[in-house]
Amino acid sequence: VFAGLAFHSLLEEAAPGPAAREQEELDYRLVLTEAQLAEAIDELRAAGEFAVDTETDSQDPMRAKLVGISLCAGEGRAYYIPVAHQPEALTVFGDPDDLTTAKMLEPMPPGRVKALLGPVLADPALGKMGHNIKYDLIVLARAGMPVEGVVMDTMVASYLTDPSRMRHNLGEVSLQYLRRQTIPITELIGKGSKATTFDHAPVDRACEYACEDADMTWRLAKVFKPLLAERKLEPLFKEVEIPLI
């Protein structure tokens, strides 16, 4: 009812919170080795299409440094590839109360990520989905990984199907269509004058946040595809909006 009446604040209060999210059977994986990335790539190719999302240190895509990439080709299952987290963000603890259990993770060199993932992103036969994917296209192209084969932008689809809506960010759209409250970015980087950048976010929390973004994008794509067809918006979406992106 709240969703239908666009009572967004009440919907947010009524929607399941973090406790409900923890009860889901989510398979969010941190990719640190070439073998793990190869497994993810096999899954993407088998699916034929996938959601992609980037994490960066700036909202300006022409200035942003690529910090990580998340990928999803199935509901509840996603991968996060850290590319440029700070050393302290790569430190994990077996026991948070025991500093001697500290261990520093070793991600793949960015050059190897580019060599393995770049051809997948550039393959036009594999459909790519994103939420405001133009941002990701610019960031990835600047990182030497141009993307071809865009088939869905869930932010644009949200606007086309509900142009009177004021906000179309991933959190709002996920709440509206999936009844899902997503992790706020402020949980990872803080806010206001004390806010930091994503490369300082602990990599385990960054993995959960980034994988959720890709997962929600994948789920929303499955919502918007039939909705665009039902409202006879497919020609506008495919022939105008996607080429404009």
Side-chain angles (χ1 to χ4, degrees):
V1 172
F2 291 156
L5 295 172
F7 291 171
H8 303 305
S9 296
L10 293 173
L11 176 59
E12 187 169 352
E13 291 180 25
R21 181 169 61 237
E22 291 172 4
Q23 295 175 6
E24 285 189 82
E25 293 184 4
L26 300 173
D27 187 4
Y28 291 167
R29 302 187 180 190
L30 185 63
V31 176
L32 299 172
T33 68
E34 292 190 18
Q36 292 170 336
L37 181 53
E39 179 184 348
I41 288 172
D42 287 344
E43 189 173 316
L44 302 181
R45 289 195 179 280
E49 59 182 7
F50 59 91
V52 58
D53 185 62
T54 58
E55 302 303 336
T56 68
D57 63 354
S58 171
Q59 293 184 350
D60 182 348
M62 293 303 294
R63 297 175 182 269
K65 177 182 70 175
L66 180 64
V67 175
I69 306 167
S70 55
L71 307 161
C72 176
E75 183 173 324
R77 181 179 173 89
Y79 298 89
Y80 179 63
I81 310 161
V83 176
H85 281 266
Q86 296 297 323
E88 69 271 17
L90 294 168
T91 303
V92 295
F93 295 87
D95 180 353
D97 297 321
D98 185 355
L99 296 181
T100 64
T101 64
K103 176 185 177 183
M104 181 172 286
L105 303 178
E106 295 185 13
M108 281 178 291
R112 292 305 298 156
V113 175
K114 177 181 173 181
L116 294 172
L117 187 59
V120 179
L121 295 173
D123 187 348
L126 295 173
K128 317 303 189 303
M129 310 169 185
H131 193 86
N132 186 23
I133 199 170
K134 183 168 74 170
Y135 177 92
D136 305 298
L137 298 182
I138 296 171
V139 169
L140 289 167
R142 290 181 56 242
M145 292 181 281
V147 179
E148 298 290 343
V150 174
V151 295
M152 170 60 71
D153 186 323
T154 49
M155 187 183 75
V156 174
S158 173
Y159 172 74
L160 288 183
T161 53
D162 189 3
S164 63
R165 186 182 184 86
M166 292 185 65
R167 294 188 296 270
H168 298 273
N169 62 65
L170 185 59
E172 292 272 355
V173 180
S174 297
L175 188 62
Q176 176 76 16
Y177 290 97
L178 304 175
R179 307 294 187 267
R180 168 72 176 248
Q181 289 194 50
T182 56
I183 302 168
I185 186 64
T186 52
E187 282 192 12
L188 281 82
I189 66 171
K191 55 185 176 181
S193 60
K194 296 182 178 180
T196 184
T197 49
F198 199 86
D199 54 334
H200 292 276
V203 73
D204 51 349
R205 289 288 289 138
C207 176
E208 182 184 8
Y209 172 86
C211 284
E212 182 181 63
D213 278 0
D215 185 12
M216 294 305 104
T217 300
W218 172 269
R219 300 188 198 197
L220 285 168
K222 303 306 178 185
V223 171
F224 285 122
K225 282 181 180 179
L227 200 55
L228 289 166
E230 175 189 320
R231 300 186 182 180
K232 297 181 172 55
L233 292 167
E234 276 188 318
L236 173 61
F237 185 71
K238 292 180 177 179
E239 297 169 19
V240 178
E241 296 295 351
I242 294 295
L244 278 174
I245 290 171

